[in-house]
Amino acid sequence: MKPLSAIFKHTAWITALVLVLTACSGNSGSGGTNTGSKPDSGQSPAATQAAAQGGDLSFALATSPDTLDPARSGLAVAIRVYRALFDNLVVQLPDSSIKPWLATEWTISDDGLDYTFKLRQDVKFHDGTPFNADAVKFSFERILDPATKSGNALALLTPLESVDVIDDYTVKLHLSKPSRAFLTNLSSASLSIVSPAAVAKYGDQFGQNPVGTGPFIFVKWDQNQQIVLKRNPDYKWAPETIENKGAPYLDTLTFKIVTEEATRIGSVQSGQVLAAETVPPQNVLALKNDSKTQLIQVNTSGLPYTLFINEKKEPWNDLKARQALQYGIDVATIVKTLYLGTYDQAWSALAPGMTGYDASLENALKPDPAKAGQLLDELGWVKGADGIREKDGKQLTLNYVDGSPNREKRNDIAVMIQQQLKAIGIKVNVNITKDTTTVVYTNGDYDIYGNSQVNVDPNALYQFYHTPAQGARPTIANYSNPETDALLEQAAVEKDDAKRADLYKQIQQKISADAVIIPIYVFPYTVAAAKSVQGLKFDLTGYPWFNDTSIQK
Amino acid sequence: MIKAIAVKLFTSLLVVAGSLLLVFTILYLLPGDPVDSILDPTQATPEMIANLRAQLGTDQPYYVQLFHYFGHMARGDFGESLLTSEPVLPKILDNFPATLSLTLTSAAVSVVVGVLLGVLSAIHRNKPIDIIARIVGLFGISMPTFWSGILLLLVFSIHWGWFPAMGSDGWRTLVLPSITLGLIGAGFIVRMVRNSMLEVINESFIVTLRSKGLTERAVMYRHALRNALIPAVTLMGTLVGEMLAGTVVIETVFARQGIGRIISDALMAKDFPVVQGVIFFTAIIYVAVNLIVDLSYSFIDPRVRRSA
């Protein structure tokens, strides 16, 4: 029986595999983990020691940026790299307040249309071009220019109309209508300031040769392999979120592109890379308990992953039917089952920690299948022979559309909801498609569609919940409520911060009471890193700052 | 002979053109368009989307886009990536060496492992080595590369740290991916060589050679093997095709550079020019390899030479 030897060989392999997967490490170190409450924090080392100078930080990304031109790409993975290469006029602190960065001070006209910024005079781009008002004008006008094909950046820069250079270090931004989100949006990495000389030199290829004023200088980009940056020795204009006011500690910063999850996470454990992003829930615990690694988790601000109920479709245009979905879907179970306690459940249209987030909505709604059934009974949907509700000879079906690939197990959410709603007599057809743009935005062929958005200002709610103007693109939920509209319009321009926060609380209450959405989870950004990596910090939107990062020898 | 080559070259050209047309049509028919990857649908206005489609020319009817595309190709202009505006040709040329070295080393692994095990298992029929060879053949053919690749990676890179888990610089990064990919080919070759060896061994000329008093070794390795390899050479063309296809998965698993990665990303984003550029390249290589295979017959097998 010789084949046995072959079988034994494989047994050994599989044993090794199991060993690796469980990542047995006797002594569980305390992996510094932060969740959500203080988004702008890295790990806090037990003893604050002076940061070590030098070294190369390898940081594995899960996908490849398409381009490193902030005006062109709104991909999250591209934005993670922007923060190292570019700076903004202003920075957002963890308490949502806006503070100086490349701009030292600013004034806003009484009508809220003119923003005049005074700029730092000691800043230069990596290519030696001085930073001044012309560079700001150039960067923003480039985003407004349709030839740039800007998407994300353009949306954030709206309603900017024109840019005037007052003098070398004073620039005036003129809006077509007031917007309280505008200043906050200027802190988004998508609105970074780029070198006019470099854009002139590289043209369309600027995204392959990015030049900014940031703490790191672009060295090279090996397609699908790595992006290499080196320390900017002249850097001394860090914003106040950064402790290190001078040049970064790291000599080089290398973003490795490793799409395969097992490779990416395994490489941190084996020390082949020092940090890796996007840790799948099933690996979180093992990395936390591994004495060699730490796990950093930051909840991103913006809109959590939310299921929008299409109010254009029967019977979901009726409040009672939507409430039946609110009571019939057990979100807590879904989040616990799929993410093993590594993701926080979402309760509101806004992510926690944002201006005006309404914490009173947390745990306010409990799943109640009996009540859901009762609401549907009242609407005349009665259970038929096969347990699915019927009315006038029609079955109660719900068309659930979700995108592919299966990002963060969103397809699994669909399947669990299918099971849960079957119990209250609703038949769910799950339609997983790669082409959600056509199905959802062009044809409107859906009853439920989920979405999330990383954003810095609660005004992000406007484009999802405000009734669209005549002829404009419909919103996903097709929700239209004059009261909510008025609140959103008011909140967009309200000058008093406390009042503004209160308006957003009212808006979230309205959205919840009108059963517009089913919030599911708050999207966390997770990074696994070797214990030697110190001072890795994140901004509110979950994008890393590498200025304070060092590698302890 | 010259005429035969000319005919083959012409048919090869048709194959390349045909594959380009086919891919273009499939991409055209698939739902979605590059605008989805460029603009965030929750933030873009219908006007923005329409403008961008007009800019990219994706709003044109099928035959117009096709005509444009082949017109440019004929002038040697492969166009630019719709997503990043990079010219396609340099992008492919930059990434091609990594894929080529992976393909060649994998093919080498296939041939060495396949022929060696195939011959040994035929000669030592039903002995342990034969059973091992058959198991290798079975595994090679039936194991999905993304699984076997991750397995090798976990054991030899993450656990024991013998080879790097990622990258494409230096020979060490080639070891695990080429074994993963090479095992597929090895699986096919083992079976092929084993079967043809067994056939040849039972033919009358082998008996004649033995009766002439040649040593068993000479009979097996000089005469039997040479005849048994002819069908295996036929397999080489298909094998290189398999290897090229396999790089798509392998380059992702081992985070390598290469055109396999480029095409999978481009397909996801419906970046037509890039997909077509890679298809053009791989089709040319595939055709060239098959041409070489066809021509090499005449050197290996005199019967083919006489009929040509």
Side-chain angles (χ1 to χ4, degrees), chain B residues 263-304:
Chain B
I263 197 168
S264 60
D265 288 358
L267 276 168
M268 283 284 176
K270 301 214 55 172
D271 198 341
F272 293 98
V274 177
V275 175
Q276 288 286 61
V278 176
I279 293 289
F280 178 79
F281 243 77
T282 41
I284 293 264
I285 288 170
Y286 189 66
V287 163
V289 169
N290 277 298
L291 203 61
I292 294 167
V293 168
D294 282 353
L295 294 176
S296 63
Y297 279 166
S298 48
F299 294 102
I300 301 174
D301 192 343
R303 287 169 302 184
V304 178

mmCIF file of all heavy atoms in Angstrom, chain B residues 263-304:
data_model
loop_
_atom_site.group_PDB
_atom_site.id
_atom_site.type_symbol
_atom_site.label_atom_id
_atom_site.label_comp_id
_atom_site.label_asym_id
_atom_site.label_seq_id
_atom_site.Cartn_x
_atom_site.Cartn_y
_atom_site.Cartn_z
ATOM 1 N N ILE B 263 -4.871 42.272 -17.515
ATOM 2 C CA ILE B 263 -6.105 41.964 -18.240
ATOM 3 C C ILE B 263 -7.265 41.712 -17.277
ATOM 4 O O ILE B 263 -8.393 42.101 -17.552
ATOM 5 C CB ILE B 263 -5.924 40.792 -19.242
ATOM 6 C CG1 ILE B 263 -7.086 40.806 -20.244
ATOM 7 C CG2 ILE B 263 -5.815 39.461 -18.547
ATOM 8 C CD1 ILE B 263 -6.902 39.907 -21.422
ATOM 9 N N SER B 264 -6.980 41.116 -16.119
ATOM 10 C CA SER B 264 -8.107 40.882 -15.207
ATOM 11 C C SER B 264 -8.639 42.211 -14.665
ATOM 12 O O SER B 264 -9.846 42.407 -14.570
ATOM 13 C CB SER B 264 -7.730 39.917 -14.085
ATOM 14 O OG SER B 264 -6.680 40.419 -13.325
ATOM 15 N N ASP B 265 -7.728 43.134 -14.344
ATOM 16 C CA ASP B 265 -8.182 44.460 -13.897
ATOM 17 C C ASP B 265 -8.941 45.185 -14.999
ATOM 18 O O ASP B 265 -9.970 45.806 -14.758
ATOM 19 C CB ASP B 265 -6.987 45.330 -13.480
ATOM 20 C CG ASP B 265 -6.380 44.856 -12.174
ATOM 21 O OD1 ASP B 265 -6.908 43.894 -11.610
ATOM 22 O OD2 ASP B 265 -5.377 45.447 -11.731
ATOM 23 N N ALA B 266 -8.407 45.086 -16.217
ATOM 24 C CA ALA B 266 -9.013 45.815 -17.327
ATOM 25 C C ALA B 266 -10.392 45.254 -17.661
ATOM 26 O O ALA B 266 -11.308 45.989 -17.999
ATOM 27 C CB ALA B 266 -8.108 45.760 -18.547
ATOM 28 N N LEU B 267 -10.537 43.931 -17.534
ATOM 29 C CA LEU B 267 -11.842 43.319 -17.790
ATOM 30 C C LEU B 267 -12.864 43.800 -16.776
ATOM 31 O O LEU B 267 -13.992 44.116 -17.115
ATOM 32 C CB LEU B 267 -11.738 41.793 -17.738
ATOM 33 C CG LEU B 267 -11.280 41.124 -19.029
ATOM 34 C CD1 LEU B 267 -10.934 39.675 -18.777
ATOM 35 C CD2 LEU B 267 -12.366 41.215 -20.097
ATOM 36 N N MET B 268 -12.437 43.861 -15.500
ATOM 37 C CA MET B 268 -13.334 44.328 -14.437
ATOM 38 C C MET B 268 -13.824 45.735 -14.743
ATOM 39 O O MET B 268 -14.977 46.073 -14.511
ATOM 40 C CB MET B 268 -12.588 44.367 -13.091
ATOM 41 C CG MET B 268 -12.428 43.003 -12.481
ATOM 42 S SD MET B 268 -13.999 42.501 -11.786
ATOM 43 C CE MET B 268 -13.640 40.868 -11.242
ATOM 44 N N ALA B 269 -12.914 46.567 -15.247
ATOM 45 C CA ALA B 269 -13.250 47.968 -15.467
ATOM 46 C C ALA B 269 -13.744 48.228 -16.885
ATOM 47 O O ALA B 269 -14.021 49.355 -17.227
ATOM 48 C CB ALA B 269 -12.030 48.831 -15.178
ATOM 49 N N LYS B 270 -13.825 47.168 -17.695
ATOM 50 C CA LYS B 270 -14.224 47.299 -19.092
ATOM 51 C C LYS B 270 -13.344 48.310 -19.828
ATOM 52 O O LYS B 270 -13.824 49.156 -20.573
ATOM 53 C CB LYS B 270 -15.693 47.686 -19.205
ATOM 54 C CG LYS B 270 -16.581 46.659 -18.542
ATOM 55 C CD LYS B 270 -17.891 46.470 -19.225
ATOM 56 C CE LYS B 270 -17.788 46.129 -20.666
ATOM 57 N NZ LYS B 270 -19.048 45.759 -21.272
ATOM 58 N N ASP B 271 -12.076 48.213 -19.594
ATOM 59 C CA ASP B 271 -11.118 49.105 -20.231
ATOM 60 C C ASP B 271 -10.727 48.488 -21.578
ATOM 61 O O ASP B 271 -9.702 47.828 -21.712
ATOM 62 C CB ASP B 271 -9.903 49.244 -19.295
ATOM 63 C CG ASP B 271 -9.053 50.451 -19.634
ATOM 64 O OD1 ASP B 271 -9.174 50.947 -20.768
ATOM 65 O OD2 ASP B 271 -8.279 50.889 -18.777
ATOM 66 N N PHE B 272 -11.573 48.709 -22.582
ATOM 67 C CA PHE B 272 -11.430 48.047 -23.890
ATOM 68 C C PHE B 272 -10.012 48.037 -24.457
ATOM 69 O O PHE B 272 -9.494 46.968 -24.776
ATOM 70 C CB PHE B 272 -12.331 48.713 -24.949
ATOM 71 C CG PHE B 272 -13.785 48.545 -24.714
ATOM 72 C CD1 PHE B 272 -14.511 49.539 -24.100
ATOM 73 C CD2 PHE B 272 -14.432 47.397 -25.119
ATOM 74 C CE1 PHE B 272 -15.869 49.391 -23.878
ATOM 75 C CE2 PHE B 272 -15.796 47.244 -24.911
ATOM 76 C CZ PHE B 272 -16.511 48.240 -24.287
ATOM 77 N N PRO B 273 -9.399 49.216 -24.614
ATOM 78 C CA PRO B 273 -8.122 49.221 -25.318
ATOM 79 C C PRO B 273 -7.083 48.325 -24.642
ATOM 80 O O PRO B 273 -6.310 47.655 -25.327
ATOM 81 C CB PRO B 273 -7.683 50.688 -25.252
ATOM 82 C CG PRO B 273 -8.918 51.452 -24.993
ATOM 83 C CD PRO B 273 -9.816 50.563 -24.207
ATOM 84 N N VAL B 274 -7.085 48.309 -23.312
ATOM 85 C CA VAL B 274 -6.093 47.505 -22.600
ATOM 86 C C VAL B 274 -6.378 46.023 -22.813
ATOM 87 O O VAL B 274 -5.472 45.238 -23.127
ATOM 88 C CB VAL B 274 -6.094 47.846 -21.087
ATOM 89 C CG1 VAL B 274 -5.110 46.961 -20.339
ATOM 90 C CG2 VAL B 274 -5.757 49.310 -20.889
ATOM 91 N N VAL B 275 -7.644 45.632 -22.679
ATOM 92 C CA VAL B 275 -8.003 44.223 -22.883
ATOM 93 C C VAL B 275 -7.587 43.783 -24.283
ATOM 94 O O VAL B 275 -6.925 42.759 -24.463
ATOM 95 C CB VAL B 275 -9.527 44.009 -22.702
ATOM 96 C CG1 VAL B 275 -9.902 42.586 -23.038
ATOM 97 C CG2 VAL B 275 -9.938 44.336 -21.280
ATOM 98 N N GLN B 276 -7.946 44.591 -25.274
ATOM 99 C CA GLN B 276 -7.642 44.230 -26.655
ATOM 100 C C GLN B 276 -6.137 44.150 -26.884
ATOM 101 O O GLN B 276 -5.657 43.272 -27.599
ATOM 102 C CB GLN B 276 -8.249 45.263 -27.607
ATOM 103 C CG GLN B 276 -9.754 45.162 -27.701
ATOM 104 C CD GLN B 276 -10.184 43.945 -28.505
ATOM 105 O OE1 GLN B 276 -9.888 42.823 -28.147
ATOM 106 N NE2 GLN B 276 -10.885 44.180 -29.589
ATOM 107 N N GLY B 277 -5.399 45.069 -26.286
ATOM 108 C CA GLY B 277 -3.949 45.062 -26.450
ATOM 109 C C GLY B 277 -3.349 43.766 -25.922
ATOM 110 O O GLY B 277 -2.504 43.137 -26.575
ATOM 111 N N VAL B 278 -3.793 43.360 -24.736
ATOM 112 C CA VAL B 278 -3.259 42.133 -24.135
ATOM 113 C C VAL B 278 -3.666 40.927 -24.975
ATOM 114 O O VAL B 278 -2.853 40.033 -25.231
ATOM 115 C CB VAL B 278 -3.760 41.972 -22.677
ATOM 116 C CG1 VAL B 278 -3.290 40.646 -22.107
ATOM 117 C CG2 VAL B 278 -3.239 43.109 -21.818
ATOM 118 N N ILE B 279 -4.920 40.912 -25.438
ATOM 119 C CA ILE B 279 -5.388 39.796 -26.268
ATOM 120 C C ILE B 279 -4.544 39.701 -27.537
ATOM 121 O O ILE B 279 -4.115 38.619 -27.938
ATOM 122 C CB ILE B 279 -6.879 39.981 -26.653
ATOM 123 C CG1 ILE B 279 -7.752 39.875 -25.411
ATOM 124 C CG2 ILE B 279 -7.309 38.972 -27.699
ATOM 125 C CD1 ILE B 279 -7.867 38.490 -24.831
ATOM 126 N N PHE B 280 -4.292 40.838 -28.144
ATOM 127 C CA PHE B 280 -3.486 40.868 -29.358
ATOM 128 C C PHE B 280 -2.130 40.219 -29.100
ATOM 129 O O PHE B 280 -1.672 39.346 -29.826
ATOM 130 C CB PHE B 280 -3.314 42.321 -29.814
ATOM 131 C CG PHE B 280 -2.466 42.481 -31.041
ATOM 132 C CD1 PHE B 280 -2.992 42.230 -32.298
ATOM 133 C CD2 PHE B 280 -1.146 42.890 -30.935
ATOM 134 C CE1 PHE B 280 -2.205 42.380 -33.433
ATOM 135 C CE2 PHE B 280 -0.357 43.033 -32.057
ATOM 136 C CZ PHE B 280 -0.891 42.780 -33.319
ATOM 137 N N PHE B 281 -1.516 40.646 -28.017
ATOM 138 C CA PHE B 281 -0.198 40.132 -27.659
ATOM 139 C C PHE B 281 -0.194 38.631 -27.415
ATOM 140 O O PHE B 281 0.630 37.896 -27.946
ATOM 141 C CB PHE B 281 0.276 40.843 -26.391
ATOM 142 C CG PHE B 281 1.487 41.639 -26.639
ATOM 143 C CD1 PHE B 281 1.380 42.864 -27.290
ATOM 144 C CD2 PHE B 281 2.727 41.174 -26.266
ATOM 145 C CE1 PHE B 281 2.511 43.605 -27.544
ATOM 146 C CE2 PHE B 281 3.850 41.920 -26.517
ATOM 147 C CZ PHE B 281 3.752 43.138 -27.156
ATOM 148 N N THR B 282 -1.137 38.184 -26.583
ATOM 149 C CA THR B 282 -1.148 36.765 -26.231
ATOM 150 C C THR B 282 -1.517 35.917 -27.441
ATOM 151 O O THR B 282 -0.980 34.822 -27.619
ATOM 152 C CB THR B 282 -2.133 36.483 -25.077
ATOM 153 O OG1 THR B 282 -3.305 37.245 -25.292
ATOM 154 C CG2 THR B 282 -1.548 36.857 -23.750
ATOM 155 N N ALA B 283 -2.387 36.459 -28.299
ATOM 156 C CA ALA B 283 -2.758 35.705 -29.499
ATOM 157 C C ALA B 283 -1.528 35.520 -30.389
ATOM 158 O O ALA B 283 -1.271 34.432 -30.918
ATOM 159 C CB ALA B 283 -3.863 36.425 -30.263
ATOM 160 N N ILE B 284 -0.749 36.589 -30.536
ATOM 161 C CA ILE B 284 0.472 36.522 -31.352
ATOM 162 C C ILE B 284 1.409 35.443 -30.793
ATOM 163 O O ILE B 284 1.953 34.619 -31.520
ATOM 164 C CB ILE B 284 1.219 37.882 -31.334
ATOM 165 C CG1 ILE B 284 0.381 38.932 -32.037
ATOM 166 C CG2 ILE B 284 2.608 37.756 -31.919
ATOM 167 C CD1 ILE B 284 0.704 39.176 -33.478
ATOM 168 N N ILE B 285 1.577 35.450 -29.470
ATOM 169 C CA ILE B 285 2.494 34.489 -28.859
ATOM 170 C C ILE B 285 1.993 33.067 -29.054
ATOM 171 O O ILE B 285 2.742 32.161 -29.428
ATOM 172 C CB ILE B 285 2.649 34.794 -27.362
ATOM 173 C CG1 ILE B 285 3.472 36.053 -27.245
ATOM 174 C CG2 ILE B 285 3.330 33.647 -26.628
ATOM 175 C CD1 ILE B 285 3.527 36.622 -25.917
ATOM 176 N N TYR B 286 0.713 32.898 -28.837
ATOM 177 C CA TYR B 286 0.117 31.571 -28.957
ATOM 178 C C TYR B 286 0.289 31.036 -30.378
ATOM 179 O O TYR B 286 0.711 29.897 -30.589
ATOM 180 C CB TYR B 286 -1.378 31.673 -28.614
ATOM 181 C CG TYR B 286 -2.057 30.353 -28.498
ATOM 182 C CD1 TYR B 286 -1.713 29.471 -27.477
ATOM 183 C CD2 TYR B 286 -3.054 29.972 -29.390
ATOM 184 C CE1 TYR B 286 -2.335 28.247 -27.362
ATOM 185 C CE2 TYR B 286 -3.682 28.749 -29.278
ATOM 186 C CZ TYR B 286 -3.312 27.897 -28.261
ATOM 187 O OH TYR B 286 -3.927 26.690 -28.152
ATOM 188 N N VAL B 287 0.017 31.895 -31.329
ATOM 189 C CA VAL B 287 0.146 31.509 -32.731
ATOM 190 C C VAL B 287 1.603 31.200 -33.066
ATOM 191 O O VAL B 287 1.918 30.208 -33.739
ATOM 192 C CB VAL B 287 -0.413 32.634 -33.633
ATOM 193 C CG1 VAL B 287 0.067 32.486 -35.052
ATOM 194 C CG2 VAL B 287 -1.930 32.635 -33.583
ATOM 195 N N ALA B 288 2.505 32.041 -32.569
ATOM 196 C CA ALA B 288 3.929 31.829 -32.861
ATOM 197 C C ALA B 288 4.396 30.495 -32.287
ATOM 198 O O ALA B 288 5.098 29.727 -32.961
ATOM 199 C CB ALA B 288 4.749 32.979 -32.277
ATOM 200 N N VAL B 289 3.995 30.201 -31.071
ATOM 201 C CA VAL B 289 4.403 28.936 -30.447
ATOM 202 C C VAL B 289 3.882 27.757 -31.264
ATOM 203 O O VAL B 289 4.609 26.800 -31.550
ATOM 204 C CB VAL B 289 3.890 28.847 -28.987
ATOM 205 C CG1 VAL B 289 4.068 27.439 -28.439
ATOM 206 C CG2 VAL B 289 4.635 29.833 -28.123
ATOM 207 N N ASN B 290 2.632 27.845 -31.695
ATOM 208 C CA ASN B 290 2.063 26.753 -32.470
ATOM 209 C C ASN B 290 2.753 26.582 -33.818
ATOM 210 O O ASN B 290 2.921 25.473 -34.307
ATOM 211 C CB ASN B 290 0.562 26.970 -32.662
ATOM 212 C CG ASN B 290 -0.207 26.477 -31.454
ATOM 213 O OD1 ASN B 290 -0.173 25.301 -31.138
ATOM 214 N ND2 ASN B 290 -0.846 27.395 -30.748
ATOM 215 N N LEU B 291 3.163 27.723 -34.368
ATOM 216 C CA LEU B 291 3.904 27.682 -35.627
ATOM 217 C C LEU B 291 5.222 26.938 -35.424
ATOM 218 O O LEU B 291 5.587 26.051 -36.208
ATOM 219 C CB LEU B 291 4.176 29.119 -36.078
ATOM 220 C CG LEU B 291 4.425 29.357 -37.556
ATOM 221 C CD1 LEU B 291 3.212 28.938 -38.366
ATOM 222 C CD2 LEU B 291 4.701 30.841 -37.800
ATOM 223 N N ILE B 292 5.905 27.275 -34.355
ATOM 224 C CA ILE B 292 7.188 26.622 -34.051
ATOM 225 C C ILE B 292 6.973 25.129 -33.833
ATOM 226 O O ILE B 292 7.740 24.295 -34.322
ATOM 227 C CB ILE B 292 7.846 27.276 -32.808
ATOM 228 C CG1 ILE B 292 8.237 28.712 -33.146
ATOM 229 C CG2 ILE B 292 9.068 26.482 -32.357
ATOM 230 C CD1 ILE B 292 8.602 29.565 -31.951
ATOM 231 N N VAL B 293 5.895 24.797 -33.116
ATOM 232 C CA VAL B 293 5.595 23.389 -32.854
ATOM 233 C C VAL B 293 5.380 22.642 -34.168
ATOM 234 O O VAL B 293 5.958 21.577 -34.394
ATOM 235 C CB VAL B 293 4.354 23.251 -31.940
ATOM 236 C CG1 VAL B 293 3.862 21.808 -31.908
ATOM 237 C CG2 VAL B 293 4.695 23.711 -30.525
ATOM 238 N N ASP B 294 4.577 23.251 -35.034
ATOM 239 C CA ASP B 294 4.315 22.614 -36.330
ATOM 240 C C ASP B 294 5.599 22.379 -37.094
ATOM 241 O O ASP B 294 5.803 21.317 -37.696
ATOM 242 C CB ASP B 294 3.392 23.521 -37.176
ATOM 243 C CG ASP B 294 1.951 23.410 -36.713
ATOM 244 O OD1 ASP B 294 1.689 22.552 -35.854
ATOM 245 O OD2 ASP B 294 1.102 24.177 -37.211
ATOM 246 N N LEU B 295 6.449 23.392 -37.099
ATOM 247 C CA LEU B 295 7.688 23.281 -37.869
ATOM 248 C C LEU B 295 8.632 22.261 -37.246
ATOM 249 O O LEU B 295 9.351 21.553 -37.947
ATOM 250 C CB LEU B 295 8.373 24.641 -37.965
ATOM 251 C CG LEU B 295 7.593 25.696 -38.769
ATOM 252 C CD1 LEU B 295 8.309 27.031 -38.728
ATOM 253 C CD2 LEU B 295 7.399 25.248 -40.216
ATOM 254 N N SER B 296 8.625 22.169 -35.931
ATOM 255 C CA SER B 296 9.584 21.274 -35.278
ATOM 256 C C SER B 296 9.263 19.798 -35.518
ATOM 257 O O SER B 296 10.142 18.944 -35.419
ATOM 258 C CB SER B 296 9.636 21.552 -33.776
ATOM 259 O OG SER B 296 8.377 21.273 -33.226
ATOM 260 N N TYR B 297 8.009 19.520 -35.871
ATOM 261 C CA TYR B 297 7.665 18.136 -36.220
ATOM 262 C C TYR B 297 8.601 17.571 -37.255
ATOM 263 O O TYR B 297 9.076 16.456 -37.162
ATOM 264 C CB TYR B 297 6.263 18.078 -36.860
ATOM 265 C CG TYR B 297 5.173 18.103 -35.868
ATOM 266 C CD1 TYR B 297 3.868 18.340 -36.260
ATOM 267 C CD2 TYR B 297 5.452 17.883 -34.534
ATOM 268 C CE1 TYR B 297 2.849 18.371 -35.350
ATOM 269 C CE2 TYR B 297 4.430 17.916 -33.630
ATOM 270 C CZ TYR B 297 3.137 18.164 -34.032
ATOM 271 O OH TYR B 297 2.135 18.202 -33.129
ATOM 272 N N SER B 298 8.776 18.405 -38.274
ATOM 273 C CA SER B 298 9.538 17.902 -39.417
ATOM 274 C C SER B 298 10.952 17.524 -38.998
ATOM 275 O O SER B 298 11.594 16.711 -39.647
ATOM 276 C CB SER B 298 9.553 18.942 -40.524
ATOM 277 O OG SER B 298 9.891 20.187 -39.977
ATOM 278 N N PHE B 299 11.437 18.135 -37.918
ATOM 279 C CA PHE B 299 12.782 17.766 -37.459
ATOM 280 C C PHE B 299 12.732 16.497 -36.630
ATOM 281 O O PHE B 299 13.628 15.682 -36.658
ATOM 282 C CB PHE B 299 13.391 18.914 -36.641
ATOM 283 C CG PHE B 299 13.630 20.122 -37.491
ATOM 284 C CD1 PHE B 299 12.762 21.203 -37.445
ATOM 285 C CD2 PHE B 299 14.716 20.159 -38.377
ATOM 286 C CE1 PHE B 299 12.976 22.304 -38.250
ATOM 287 C CE2 PHE B 299 14.920 21.270 -39.185
ATOM 288 C CZ PHE B 299 14.062 22.340 -39.129
ATOM 289 N N ILE B 300 11.623 16.356 -35.874
ATOM 290 C CA ILE B 300 11.546 15.186 -35.002
ATOM 291 C C ILE B 300 11.089 13.959 -35.772
ATOM 292 O O ILE B 300 11.633 12.871 -35.628
ATOM 293 C CB ILE B 300 10.543 15.445 -33.843
ATOM 294 C CG1 ILE B 300 11.001 16.668 -33.054
ATOM 295 C CG2 ILE B 300 10.466 14.230 -32.931
ATOM 296 C CD1 ILE B 300 10.026 17.083 -31.994
ATOM 297 N N ASP B 301 10.097 14.176 -36.640
ATOM 298 C CA ASP B 301 9.469 13.037 -37.308
ATOM 299 C C ASP B 301 9.674 13.119 -38.816
ATOM 300 O O ASP B 301 9.070 13.956 -39.485
ATOM 301 C CB ASP B 301 7.966 13.052 -36.981
ATOM 302 C CG ASP B 301 7.302 11.753 -37.394
ATOM 303 O OD1 ASP B 301 7.900 11.014 -38.202
ATOM 304 O OD2 ASP B 301 6.174 11.495 -36.911
ATOM 305 N N PRO B 302 10.520 12.270 -39.353
ATOM 306 C CA PRO B 302 10.843 12.331 -40.786
ATOM 307 C C PRO B 302 9.594 12.201 -41.659
ATOM 308 O O PRO B 302 9.546 12.745 -42.755
ATOM 309 C CB PRO B 302 11.769 11.138 -40.996
ATOM 310 C CG PRO B 302 12.211 10.721 -39.648
ATOM 311 C CD PRO B 302 11.187 11.167 -38.675
ATOM 312 N N ARG B 303 8.581 11.485 -41.189
ATOM 313 C CA ARG B 303 7.395 11.271 -42.020
ATOM 314 C C ARG B 303 6.718 12.592 -42.381
ATOM 315 O O ARG B 303 6.246 12.783 -43.478
ATOM 316 C CB ARG B 303 6.389 10.370 -41.283
ATOM 317 C CG ARG B 303 6.835 8.923 -41.229
ATOM 318 C CD ARG B 303 5.976 8.123 -40.280
ATOM 319 N NE ARG B 303 6.003 8.686 -38.919
ATOM 320 C CZ ARG B 303 5.386 8.123 -37.890
ATOM 321 N NH1 ARG B 303 4.664 7.037 -38.058
ATOM 322 N NH2 ARG B 303 5.463 8.651 -36.702
ATOM 323 N N VAL B 304 6.717 13.523 -41.395
ATOM 324 C CA VAL B 304 6.088 14.817 -41.633
ATOM 325 C C VAL B 304 6.870 15.586 -42.686
ATOM 326 O O VAL B 304 6.317 16.213 -43.572
ATOM 327 C CB VAL B 304 6.017 15.633 -40.323
ATOM 328 C CG1 VAL B 304 5.412 17.005 -40.573
ATOM 329 C CG2 VAL B 304 5.229 14.861 -39.285
#
